[in-house]
Structure formats: C-alpha cells, structure tokens
Amino acid sequence: MPAALGFTVLRLAVEPNTHVLMVALAEPFSWFAALAMATLYIHILVKYVKNNPEKCLVLQQAGRMSLTLYLMQTVIFLVCFKVMFPEWVLSFDRINYWLLIAGVVVFQLVFCKVYTQLFRYGPCETVWRKLSR
C-alpha cells in the first residue's frame, strides 16, 4: 500500500508541471503506481479467498476464458473508439474511461457466468486447445 500511494502521489505531483524532466518521469511513475496497485488488489483478493475457492467462482470462470475476454475487450474498445464513437477519445476524462471499463468488466463477468454454465472453456481457448494438439 505504501508503494501504491507513494507512486500515485508522485505521479499527481508531476502532472501539472511542464518541465521536460517532470514529463519524462510521469510515465514511469504511472507504471509503478499501476504495478503496486495491481499487487495490492491481488493481495486483498488472496486474503479474501483464503483457500475457499467458492468465494470467487466468477473470477475462476473468467480465468478459464482469459484469451476470449482479452480479445473481446480489444474488439469492444476498437468498435467504440474507432467506429461508433470516435469523438470519445477527445472528450473522455479519467472518470469516463473508468466507468466505461467498469461497465465492460461487469458485462464480461456476467458473460463468463452464463457461458461457463454451457461450456467448460471459452471459444478462443477451445480453438487454441484444438490447434495446439
């Protein structure tokens, strides 16, 4: 948590400054803040589950469909930002991106729940398994 908070504060501190060094430091600060936050999320999730896999069944289902979900996100965002609503790139701020991403993640988790009731693996994973034999 200290690393996530520290790098986030550093990133926010250098954002308004237009000095070349500060602009160059902003990107690595963002990377390290994101890495620390991801590690923190994983830590919290592992502590929550505590060897009880029934608590996060939907994440297990998403794990069995990870390639499908990755490709689905790519297609969804390409269609949104390049085909249907190209003006979003210019008008969105961080909260708009966060809300869009949260909506897509919720949609994908619901999709996983429904799809895994019918099939064991996602469609892309099934194709991958058949091609790798």
Side-chain angles (χ1 to χ4, degrees), residues 13-128:
V14 300
E15 187 171 8
N17 198 331
T18 57
H19 190 268
V20 173
L21 178 62
M22 295 301 172
V23 172
L25 288 175
E27 193 69 23
F29 286 159
S30 292
W31 297 338
F32 288 122
L35 180 62
M37 280 304 295
T39 305
L40 182 63
Y41 289 150
I42 291 168
H43 175 74
I44 291 169
L45 188 62
V46 167
K47 289 291 185 187
Y48 172 72
V49 172
K50 288 186 184 174
N51 294 327
N52 187 358
E54 298 302 317
K55 285 186 176 179
C56 288
L57 190 60
V58 72
L59 292 180
Q60 292 176 11
Q61 294 165 342
R64 284 194 293 265
M65 296 181 59
S66 58
L67 179 61
T68 298
L69 295 180
Y70 171 72
L71 294 173
M72 182 191 297
Q73 281 181 359
T74 302
V75 169
I76 287 171
F77 290 127
L78 277 174
V79 168
C80 281
F81 289 116
K82 295 292 184 184
V83 178
M84 294 177 60
F85 308 105
E87 68 276 1
W88 281 1
V89 174
L90 301 174
S91 64
F92 268 27
D93 57 4
R94 289 183 187 186
I95 192 70
N96 295 118
Y97 283 118
W98 190 89
L99 291 171
L100 178 65
I101 291 166
V104 170
V105 167
V106 168
F107 165 75
Q108 286 186 320
L109 291 177
V110 170
F111 174 78
C112 286
K113 181 80 173 149
V114 172
Y115 192 88
T116 55
Q117 290 176 351
L118 303 172
F119 304 100
R120 182 177 168 106
Y121 296 104
C124 295
E125 289 77 12
T126 303
V127 170
W128 182 272

